[in-house]
Amino acid sequence: MRKWLLVAVLVLWHGGAWGASSPQSGPGVVVVLAGGGAKGFAHLAVLRRLERDGVRISRLVGTSMGAVIGGLYASGMSTDDIERVMGGLDPAKVALDQIDRLELPLRAREYQRQYPIDLEFGIRDGQLSFARGVSDGQRFLALLQQLTAHLPPHVNFDQLRIPFRAVATRYRDGELTVFREGPLHLAIRASMAAPGVFAPVEVNGETYVDGGLVANLPIEVALQEGASVVVASYLGQQEEGHEPAAGNALAVANRMLDILIRQNERRNLALLREQDLLVQPQLKEVGFTDFRRAPEIVAMGEQAIRQQEERFIRLARQWSGSLHSGQVAPAFDGREIVIEQVRVTGTTHTQEGFVSAEFRALKGQTFSTSAVARVIDRLYTSGHFERVSYSLEQIKDGRYALVVDVQEKPYGPHYFKTSLGFSAERGGINQFAVGMGYRRPWLNASGLELAVDAQAGTQTELGVKLYQPLQPGLGIQTHVRYQSTLWPVYPPADLPAHGQDKLAYALLSNRSAGMDLAQDWGRGAVLRVGWVARQLDYQLDTASTVGVPLQDGSIYSLTLDQQRVRYAGWRLQWLVDKLDSVSFPEHGHYVNAVAEHALTGAEVRSHAFNARWAYPYRTHVLNLGLNLGHIQAQSGCVGCRSASALYLGGFQNMGAYRMGQLVGDRLVHAYMTYMYRWSDGGLLRQKTFLGAVAEAGDVWFAGQAHATRYSGTLFVAVDSKIGDIYVGLARGTGGMTNAFVQLGRRFGW
């Protein structure tokens, strides 16, 4: 996966297309800025030197990252500001649209717990479809729009401070397109729409992808613009004496892509004339995503310039003069802009009212790019849209309409996600499960959503939910659910020499139906009050009474009655989820308090409290957890293992004991987990941890004697895009030991 993403990123930052453009008059110095990702910071050194020497730039022509640098500079940003803003980017978050968990609505965070695989697909027009890129490019587009908000929505690029040209590839026929007018942020975004990485960009009914595919160094465009002198900032590297290995299909595909890019670069390099100037910094050690190395990369560009000092001096003597300083009319006349209306375009499956409601607080307020950007990001993280942008339309003096244009995900409105899980422990049961979730939002105008969840394996699940919003933050959820788990049955853990021997297997099943009224408290908390009806079954594959021989020759009798518990009553839940990760959080907290009281059927009262706190310090993380549980059930089985029992055992759940080995109706459990972040996982953020867990607690039946148990675990774990992966060794009270491995979705009851 990491290698695949690297290939994709290579495509992104190389960028390009080849075709014809209409010639323009206006001889002078035309600066050509190549694609190359973070390597493009070297362009700033060229622009600074030309600016310092007073060289009058006639045109700026850019591809991919070159279009980003060139377009922002042409719009009026200084090189210092460009370096500060772009160098401070988080490539994973801004460039690849990776959404931090805390940016998601709470229902999406719960969904993520259930389906940790970071892949969503859908059905549209009867066909299976996927996202058009690893990234929608929304956040980078929003950043570009914010940085160019002082320009009109449609601007002639000749009227910018420096005339500018952005090079993109027309998707329909692969022809090179030169953007000379329009929304500047869209032109830049189109130029860097690497296939498979960034979603294509639609402009005036046409679809565009990265311009670097066939014109990564668009010298031909500069000549067609009438350049007297071309200053080309080239980021490519020569591979003399190096023969890349063709070890696998990915390596071959990567090499073929690189060959195509190098060919179009060489074709353009061959067009350079004697009077033209080529700047080629040595950037072999710079990665395409090394944005935090901006000052270092700029310095490399300065070094390349010093190697051609005399030529830069001659250029300054011949072409000195003031910058073009275009006459573009500003987007605003300097007065405060009041948003009087909000209009929404582009909605098909989603509802215009949903989008408008997000901007309701801005109506009647003074326009602020940062405030609008926050709302747009909130809309994007809702999960319904591929792109959200805006423009201002004047309706009367000093008052404007905010026009919000949305582009829905191309693979909806039927959305699917998958999950998988595998767990094995020494002497315990090997568990596995595969699952699929289906979501169909916007079944009515107010946002009715259908959810179907299915899972097969040692844990089986089938559930149907309907969620109906009543107003922002308030909704009603109904559900019908069946869940069953194959569970090993163990004798009491404190029996000498027999605490880890399985006696039987039990099938625990939970059938439920209910309805909740849910009130959100911000994006990270919810209060649910409702009604639930349950049927709990505990079915064994052996006799109801089992004799366990002890070391002294005696027999310990254990009752394993099959049971059915039915009840209906009220349910209350307070949930706060502000953790940055489901399984291995580095900051935030989590609280889940649930109470159920039966009003009919079996006399059941259950209370559960689960909490977790995460504290980071550099590469070290400390997690503290507390779990409390209490069940009072009158079901005809007093003191035996029951359908309504509480369980301990497994990773971070008294790891020295097998999953479900400790059973009772009273539970107290506390743990402290230390984690050292060994690797941050790069762009994929698949962090690797080395850690240790210290635990104390017990679970017991009312009236039984009990004592605090202890457990310690050493583990290595990966917080991956398919769920948590960990391997651990544990030892606990009485010499209990366990070894376990887990992949994907966690198992539990």
Side-chain angles (χ1 to χ4, degrees):
M1 181 66 181
R2 296 174 67 180
K3 290 183 177 179
W4 177 86
L5 185 60
L6 176 61
V7 175
V9 174
L10 287 171
V11 178
L12 160 67
W13 296 117
H14 278 303
W18 193 262
S21 59
S22 57
Q24 299 282 328
S25 61
V29 177
V30 177
V31 179
V32 176
L33 307 177
K39 296 182 179 185
F41 284 114
H43 298 325
L44 295 175
V46 175
L47 296 175
R48 282 173 180 165
R49 177 58 186 262
L50 296 175
E51 185 177 291
R52 191 196 75 183
D53 290 348
V55 175
R56 185 181 187 275
I57 300 174
S58 174
R59 298 279 192 279
L60 282 169
V61 180
T63 295
S64 197
M65 187 62 173
V68 175
I69 300 290
L72 294 178
Y73 187 69
S75 73
M77 283 188 71
S78 69
T79 55
D80 289 344
D81 286 342
I82 295 173
E83 181 179 345
R84 175 182 54 81
V85 173
M86 302 302 296
L89 293 181
D90 181 344
K93 184 175 181 178
V94 179
L96 295 181
D97 279 339
Q98 290 192 5
I99 299 173
D100 290 339
R101 190 168 182 270
L102 296 178
E103 298 174 302
L104 296 171
L106 182 61
R107 291 177 64 243
R109 300 179 204 183
E110 293 182 285
Y111 192 41
Q112 191 185 63
R113 283 181 176 271
Q114 193 171 5
Y115 297 98
I117 296 179
D118 194 21
L119 173 65
E120 185 179 66
F121 56 97
I123 294 178
R124 171 166 287 189
D125 300 327
Q127 295 185 342
L128 190 67
S129 56
F130 297 83
R132 299 191 294 176
V134 175
S135 167
D136 296 326
Q138 164 63 32
R139 284 180 159 165
F140 201 84
L141 177 67
L143 174 65
L144 292 172
Q145 185 165 24
Q146 190 171 356
L147 295 175
T148 59
H150 61 286
L151 301 175
H154 189 97
V155 60
N156 185 333
F157 297 170
D158 281 339
Q159 300 303 309
L160 298 175
R161 183 179 71 151
I162 301 174
F164 172 66
R165 306 290 184 257
V167 177
T169 302
R170 192 165 61 199
Y171 181 79
R172 170 169 53 90
D173 53 13
E175 288 295 316
L176 180 146
T177 298
V178 180
F179 284 98
R180 295 184 173 87
E181 61 180 6
L184 179 60
H185 63 285
L186 277 183
I188 296 173
R189 173 65 177 82
S191 181
M192 53 174 290
V197 179
F198 282 162
V201 175
E202 294 182 9
V203 182
N204 297 328
E206 284 279 4
T207 302
Y208 298 94
V209 295
D210 196 299
L213 292 176
V214 290
N216 198 48
L217 184 67
I219 294 172
E220 181 180 13
V221 175
L223 297 176
Q224 292 173 348
E225 291 287 324
S228 300
V229 177
V230 173
V231 178
S233 183
Y234 177 45
L235 308 175
Q237 301 290 335
Q238 304 297 323
E239 297 184 350
E240 299 177 2
H242 175 66
E243 184 176 349
N248 53 61
L250 185 62
V252 173
N254 184 18
R255 183 57 181 166
M256 292 301 99
L257 174 64
D258 190 66
I259 288 173
L260 291 174
I261 292 169
R262 298 303 176 217
Q263 283 180 342
N264 81 64
E265 288 178 337
R266 285 195 293 269
R267 192 160 50 239
N268 274 271
L269 287 169
L271 300 174
L272 289 173
R273 304 156 302 179
E274 184 178 353
Q275 69 267 34
D276 299 327
L277 180 57
L278 177 67
V279 181
Q280 185 177 0
Q282 298 300 309
L283 302 169
K284 290 183 178 181
E285 304 303 318
V286 177
F288 291 95
T289 60
D290 287 339
F291 284 81
R292 301 297 172 85
R293 297 175 62 186
E296 181 184 351
I297 299 168
V298 172
M300 295 177 182
E302 292 170 347
Q303 175 64 32
I305 291 171
R306 285 194 292 271
Q307 294 175 358
Q308 303 193 62
E309 183 70 22
E310 292 186 4
R311 297 202 63 186
F312 271 93
I313 292 174
R314 289 199 299 269
L315 183 72
R317 289 172 180 169
Q318 185 176 1
W319 295 99
S320 61
S322 60
L323 290 176
H324 179 273
S325 187
Q327 302 300 312
V328 60
F332 322 123
D333 59 9
R335 290 176 291 178
E336 287 190 343
I337 294 174
V338 178
I339 300 175
E340 187 167 285
Q341 299 178 4
V342 175
R343 295 204 304 269
V344 180
T345 63
T347 55
T348 301
H349 302 289
T350 54
Q351 296 298 316
E352 183 179 320
F354 167 73
V355 180
S356 298
E358 292 290 333
F359 289 92
R360 187 175 298 147
L362 301 184
K363 290 181 66 175
Q365 303 298 313
T366 301
F367 171 76
S368 165
T369 58
S370 58
V372 173
R374 285 193 294 271
V375 178
I376 284 178
D377 199 60
R378 189 161 64 244
L379 278 171
Y380 177 67
T381 57
S382 71
H384 298 298
F385 307 106
E386 182 182 69
R387 192 184 86 189
V388 185
S389 60
Y390 73 92
S391 60
L392 289 171
E393 183 179 298
Q394 189 169 6
I395 54 178
K396 61 175 71 172
D397 212 17
R399 296 187 176 270
Y400 287 74
L402 182 68
V403 182
V404 182
D405 181 59
V406 299
Q407 184 172 314
E408 298 169 345
K409 288 184 175 180
Y411 53 91
H414 305 277
Y415 300 103
F416 296 86
K417 295 199 77 171
T418 60
S419 68
L420 64 89
F422 172 79
S423 174
E425 56 185 0
R426 193 180 73 183
I429 183 175
N430 294 336
Q431 301 200 62
F432 70 93
V434 294
M436 178 169 288
Y438 166 72
R439 297 291 185 273
R440 175 57 168 99
W442 302 106
L443 289 170
N444 63 18
S446 55
L448 176 66
E449 179 177 297
L450 168 68
V452 181
D453 300 298
Q455 180 174 278
T458 50
Q459 284 196 350
T460 302
E461 180 181 335
L462 180 62
V464 180
K465 291 184 289 189
L466 281 170
Y467 179 78
Q468 175 62 69
L470 301 177
Q471 62 183 47
L474 180 66
I476 292 178
Q477 180 170 285
T478 59
H479 83 270
V480 178
R481 185 185 185 198
Y482 170 78
Q483 182 186 24
S484 68
T485 301
L486 185 63
W487 214 249
V489 180
Y490 300 91
D494 54 1
L495 284 184
H498 292 281
Q500 295 177 306
D501 297 335
K502 292 189 296 289
L503 299 178
Y505 284 105
L507 184 66
L508 282 70
S509 63
N510 182 347
R511 296 170 173 85
S512 66
M515 177 181 292
D516 290 324
L517 181 67
Q519 175 64 64
D520 294 339
W521 296 79
R523 279 200 157 192
V526 64
L527 176 66
R528 295 182 176 124
V529 182
W531 170 88
V532 65
R534 294 191 188 277
Q535 176 177 302
L536 305 170
D537 290 287
Y538 186 88
Q539 302 176 4
L540 296 162
D541 66 349
T542 189
S544 61
T545 302
V546 177
V548 182
L550 303 180
Q551 289 180 332
D552 61 4
S554 61
I555 301 295
Y556 178 90
S557 294
L558 183 66
T559 302
L560 302 171
D561 286 346
Q562 300 190 20
Q563 290 187 53
R564 172 166 289 175
V565 178
R566 291 176 174 170
Y567 68 92
W570 61 264
R571 181 177 185 271
L572 177 68
Q573 181 187 27
W574 170 247
L575 175 63
V576 179
D577 188 348
K578 296 186 178 182
L579 296 175
D580 65 327
S581 169
V582 172
S583 302
F584 304 102
E586 296 189 53
H587 59 82
H589 63 278
Y590 174 90
V591 176
N592 186 20
V594 182
E596 288 187 8
H597 282 212
L599 299 177
T600 63
E603 298 179 14
V604 176
R605 293 185 177 183
S606 68
H607 309 88
F609 177 84
N610 309 104
R612 188 171 188 173
W613 299 267
Y615 305 95
Y617 179 73
R618 297 181 179 175
T619 57
H620 309 276
V621 182
L622 186 67
N623 282 194
L624 301 177
L626 177 65
N627 302 310
L628 305 173
H630 167 252
I631 295 178
Q632 181 180 333
Q634 204 168 41
S635 60
C637 180
V638 180
C640 67
R641 283 151 169 76
S642 67
S644 55
L646 302 169
Y647 296 86
L648 283 175
F651 181 63
Q652 289 185 320
N653 207 32
M654 298 299 287
Y657 299 86
R658 308 295 179 264
M659 194 177 297
Q661 184 174 350
L662 303 177
V663 187
D665 56 18
R666 307 286 192 274
L667 184 149
V668 177
H669 172 239
Y671 65 89
M672 180 175 66
T673 301
Y674 164 78
M675 298 184 294
Y676 168 72
R677 190 173 67 248
W678 190 17
S679 168
D680 64 6
L683 285 178
L684 291 180
R685 292 185 173 177
Q686 295 189 139
K687 300 176 181 178
T688 302
F689 298 95
L690 303 178
V693 188
E695 301 176 84
D698 197 14
V699 57
W700 68 97
F701 287 100
Q704 288 184 342
H706 67 94
T708 303
R709 305 177 189 272
Y710 301 93
S711 175
T713 304
L714 298 176
F715 69 91
V716 58
V718 179
D719 191 5
S720 79
K721 296 301 181 183
I722 61 172
D724 46 330
I725 304 171
Y726 58 82
V727 178
L729 298 171
R731 184 176 179 87
T733 301
M736 287 288 185
T737 59
N738 196 8
F740 44 81
V741 60
Q742 166 78 43
L743 167 66
R745 183 176 172 181
R746 288 198 180 185
F747 295 89
W749 182 250

Tab-separated table of all heavy atoms in Angstrom, residues 403-427:
chain	number	residue	atom	x	y	z
A	403	VAL	N	-22.906	32.155	-2.722
A	403	VAL	CA	-23.312	31.054	-3.592
A	403	VAL	C	-22.397	29.862	-3.305
A	403	VAL	O	-21.196	29.918	-3.564
A	403	VAL	CB	-23.242	31.450	-5.076
A	403	VAL	CG1	-23.726	30.300	-5.949
A	403	VAL	CG2	-24.082	32.700	-5.330
A	404	VAL	N	-22.973	28.805	-2.768
A	404	VAL	CA	-22.222	27.613	-2.395
A	404	VAL	C	-22.452	26.547	-3.450
A	404	VAL	O	-23.591	26.134	-3.705
A	404	VAL	CB	-22.661	27.090	-1.017
A	404	VAL	CG1	-21.826	25.868	-0.623
A	404	VAL	CG2	-22.534	28.183	0.035
A	405	ASP	N	-21.384	26.109	-4.093
A	405	ASP	CA	-21.458	25.073	-5.121
A	405	ASP	C	-20.895	23.774	-4.561
A	405	ASP	O	-19.760	23.741	-4.094
A	405	ASP	CB	-20.687	25.497	-6.369
A	405	ASP	CG	-20.775	24.450	-7.469
A	405	ASP	OD1	-21.890	24.140	-7.903
A	405	ASP	OD2	-19.727	23.931	-7.872
A	406	VAL	N	-21.706	22.722	-4.587
A	406	VAL	CA	-21.277	21.426	-4.076
A	406	VAL	C	-21.217	20.423	-5.213
A	406	VAL	O	-21.973	20.503	-6.179
A	406	VAL	CB	-22.213	20.909	-2.963
A	406	VAL	CG1	-22.234	21.865	-1.788
A	406	VAL	CG2	-23.621	20.668	-3.491
A	407	GLN	N	-20.304	19.506	-5.086
A	407	GLN	CA	-20.190	18.391	-6.009
A	407	GLN	C	-20.249	17.123	-5.171
A	407	GLN	O	-19.345	16.837	-4.392
A	407	GLN	CB	-18.877	18.463	-6.795
A	407	GLN	CG	-18.740	17.368	-7.856
A	407	GLN	CD	-17.505	17.599	-8.729
A	407	GLN	OE1	-17.246	18.704	-9.191
A	407	GLN	NE2	-16.736	16.556	-8.948
A	408	GLU	N	-21.342	16.381	-5.302
A	408	GLU	CA	-21.541	15.191	-4.495
A	408	GLU	C	-20.573	14.086	-4.893
A	408	GLU	O	-20.017	14.089	-5.987
A	408	GLU	CB	-22.988	14.707	-4.624
A	408	GLU	CG	-24.013	15.715	-4.120
A	408	GLU	CD	-25.424	15.345	-4.478
A	408	GLU	OE1	-25.601	14.478	-5.357
A	408	GLU	OE2	-26.360	15.918	-3.892
A	409	LYS	N	-20.372	13.154	-3.964
A	409	LYS	CA	-19.499	12.026	-4.263
A	409	LYS	C	-20.004	11.298	-5.499
A	409	LYS	O	-21.203	11.048	-5.641
A	409	LYS	CB	-19.441	11.065	-3.079
A	409	LYS	CG	-18.660	11.597	-1.889
A	409	LYS	CD	-18.562	10.563	-0.798
A	409	LYS	CE	-17.670	11.049	0.333
A	409	LYS	NZ	-17.556	10.032	1.426
A	410	PRO	N	-19.110	10.963	-6.411
A	410	PRO	CA	-19.546	10.367	-7.675
A	410	PRO	C	-19.989	8.918	-7.566
A	410	PRO	O	-20.487	8.353	-8.531
A	410	PRO	CB	-18.293	10.486	-8.560
A	410	PRO	CG	-17.152	10.439	-7.591
A	410	PRO	CD	-17.642	11.142	-6.354
A	411	TYR	N	-19.829	8.312	-6.403
A	411	TYR	CA	-20.139	6.890	-6.269
A	411	TYR	C	-21.335	6.638	-5.342
A	411	TYR	O	-21.538	5.526	-4.879
A	411	TYR	CB	-18.917	6.112	-5.799
A	411	TYR	CG	-18.253	6.655	-4.545
A	411	TYR	CD1	-18.627	6.206	-3.305
A	411	TYR	CD2	-17.239	7.594	-4.630
A	411	TYR	CE1	-18.025	6.696	-2.159
A	411	TYR	CE2	-16.625	8.085	-3.482
A	411	TYR	CZ	-17.020	7.630	-2.261
A	411	TYR	OH	-16.411	8.107	-1.123
A	412	GLY	N	-22.120	7.654	-5.040
A	412	GLY	CA	-23.314	7.490	-4.237
A	412	GLY	C	-24.552	7.366	-5.108
A	412	GLY	O	-24.471	7.247	-6.331
A	413	PRO	N	-25.763	7.352	-4.498
A	413	PRO	CA	-26.033	7.542	-3.064
A	413	PRO	C	-26.031	6.276	-2.225
A	413	PRO	O	-26.363	6.327	-1.045
A	413	PRO	CB	-27.423	8.151	-3.087
A	413	PRO	CG	-28.085	7.480	-4.259
A	413	PRO	CD	-27.004	7.310	-5.290
A	414	HIS	N	-25.693	5.128	-2.831
A	414	HIS	CA	-25.624	3.878	-2.089
A	414	HIS	C	-24.164	3.628	-1.707
A	414	HIS	O	-23.327	3.369	-2.568
A	414	HIS	CB	-26.175	2.719	-2.922
A	414	HIS	CG	-27.566	2.946	-3.435
A	414	HIS	ND1	-28.689	2.712	-2.675
A	414	HIS	CD2	-28.014	3.403	-4.635
A	414	HIS	CE1	-29.767	3.009	-3.383
A	414	HIS	NE2	-29.385	3.431	-4.580
A	415	TYR	N	-23.856	3.699	-0.422
A	415	TYR	CA	-22.474	3.630	0.035
A	415	TYR	C	-22.227	2.333	0.800
A	415	TYR	O	-23.074	1.857	1.567
A	415	TYR	CB	-22.140	4.812	0.946
A	415	TYR	CG	-22.294	6.151	0.274
A	415	TYR	CD1	-23.401	6.952	0.537
A	415	TYR	CD2	-21.347	6.625	-0.611
A	415	TYR	CE1	-23.547	8.182	-0.072
A	415	TYR	CE2	-21.481	7.854	-1.226
A	415	TYR	CZ	-22.585	8.630	-0.958
A	415	TYR	OH	-22.727	9.846	-1.564
A	416	PHE	N	-21.024	1.776	0.609
A	416	PHE	CA	-20.648	0.526	1.254
A	416	PHE	C	-19.274	0.653	1.905
A	416	PHE	O	-18.387	1.346	1.385
A	416	PHE	CB	-20.600	-0.626	0.241
A	416	PHE	CG	-21.919	-0.953	-0.392
A	416	PHE	CD1	-22.353	-0.277	-1.528
A	416	PHE	CD2	-22.738	-1.935	0.147
A	416	PHE	CE1	-23.570	-0.571	-2.112
A	416	PHE	CE2	-23.959	-2.236	-0.440
A	416	PHE	CZ	-24.367	-1.550	-1.570
A	417	LYS	N	-19.086	-0.031	3.028
A	417	LYS	CA	-17.791	-0.201	3.649
A	417	LYS	C	-17.669	-1.643	4.117
A	417	LYS	O	-18.672	-2.334	4.329
A	417	LYS	CB	-17.583	0.754	4.821
A	417	LYS	CG	-17.553	2.228	4.442
A	417	LYS	CD	-16.900	3.085	5.512
A	417	LYS	CE	-15.391	2.939	5.465
A	417	LYS	NZ	-14.685	3.915	6.354
A	418	THR	N	-16.433	-2.102	4.267
A	418	THR	CA	-16.180	-3.478	4.675
A	418	THR	C	-15.330	-3.513	5.945
A	418	THR	O	-14.674	-2.531	6.304
A	418	THR	CB	-15.472	-4.269	3.561
A	418	THR	OG1	-14.213	-3.639	3.262
A	418	THR	CG2	-16.318	-4.325	2.304
A	419	SER	N	-15.361	-4.654	6.590
A	419	SER	CA	-14.515	-4.872	7.758
A	419	SER	C	-14.050	-6.311	7.761
A	419	SER	O	-14.669	-7.189	7.152
A	419	SER	CB	-15.272	-4.568	9.059
A	419	SER	OG	-16.307	-5.516	9.282
A	420	LEU	N	-12.954	-6.548	8.423
A	420	LEU	CA	-12.485	-7.908	8.642
A	420	LEU	C	-11.814	-7.950	10.000
A	420	LEU	O	-11.331	-6.950	10.520
A	420	LEU	CB	-11.532	-8.373	7.539
A	420	LEU	CG	-10.205	-7.684	7.352
A	420	LEU	CD1	-9.170	-8.336	8.201
A	420	LEU	CD2	-9.746	-7.754	5.920
A	421	GLY	N	-11.806	-9.142	10.571
A	421	GLY	CA	-11.166	-9.316	11.859
A	421	GLY	C	-10.667	-10.728	12.044
A	421	GLY	O	-11.293	-11.691	11.585
A	422	PHE	N	-9.524	-10.846	12.695
A	422	PHE	CA	-8.966	-12.150	13.037
A	422	PHE	C	-8.279	-12.032	14.384
A	422	PHE	O	-7.549	-11.070	14.640
A	422	PHE	CB	-7.976	-12.624	11.982
A	422	PHE	CG	-7.240	-13.881	12.388
A	422	PHE	CD1	-7.846	-15.121	12.272
A	422	PHE	CD2	-5.949	-13.816	12.902
A	422	PHE	CE1	-7.180	-16.277	12.661
A	422	PHE	CE2	-5.279	-14.965	13.292
A	422	PHE	CZ	-5.898	-16.200	13.171
A	423	SER	N	-8.530	-12.995	15.235
A	423	SER	CA	-7.932	-12.990	16.555
A	423	SER	C	-7.562	-14.410	16.938
A	423	SER	O	-8.331	-15.349	16.724
A	423	SER	CB	-8.910	-12.408	17.584
A	423	SER	OG	-8.400	-12.511	18.886
A	424	ALA	N	-6.380	-14.568	17.499
A	424	ALA	CA	-5.931	-15.873	17.986
A	424	ALA	C	-5.179	-15.668	19.289
A	424	ALA	O	-4.447	-14.695	19.455
A	424	ALA	CB	-5.033	-16.564	16.955
A	425	GLU	N	-5.379	-16.590	20.215
A	425	GLU	CA	-4.665	-16.557	21.474
A	425	GLU	C	-4.347	-17.973	21.906
A	425	GLU	O	-5.022	-18.929	21.498
A	425	GLU	CB	-5.465	-15.832	22.560
A	425	GLU	CG	-6.833	-16.373	22.803
A	425	GLU	CD	-7.620	-15.536	23.793
A	425	GLU	OE1	-7.116	-14.541	24.281
A	425	GLU	OE2	-8.786	-15.904	24.070
A	426	ARG	N	-3.310	-18.124	22.703
A	426	ARG	CA	-2.853	-19.429	23.105
A	426	ARG	C	-3.900	-20.137	23.951
A	426	ARG	O	-4.325	-19.620	24.983
A	426	ARG	CB	-1.558	-19.317	23.904
A	426	ARG	CG	-0.848	-20.647	24.101
A	426	ARG	CD	0.416	-20.468	24.907
A	426	ARG	NE	0.132	-20.204	26.298
A	426	ARG	CZ	1.057	-19.952	27.219
A	426	ARG	NH1	2.328	-19.893	26.862
A	426	ARG	NH2	0.717	-19.725	28.465
A	427	GLY	N	-4.312	-21.293	23.476
A	427	GLY	CA	-5.278	-22.063	24.231
A	427	GLY	C	-6.700	-21.574	24.133
A	427	GLY	O	-7.608	-22.165	24.725
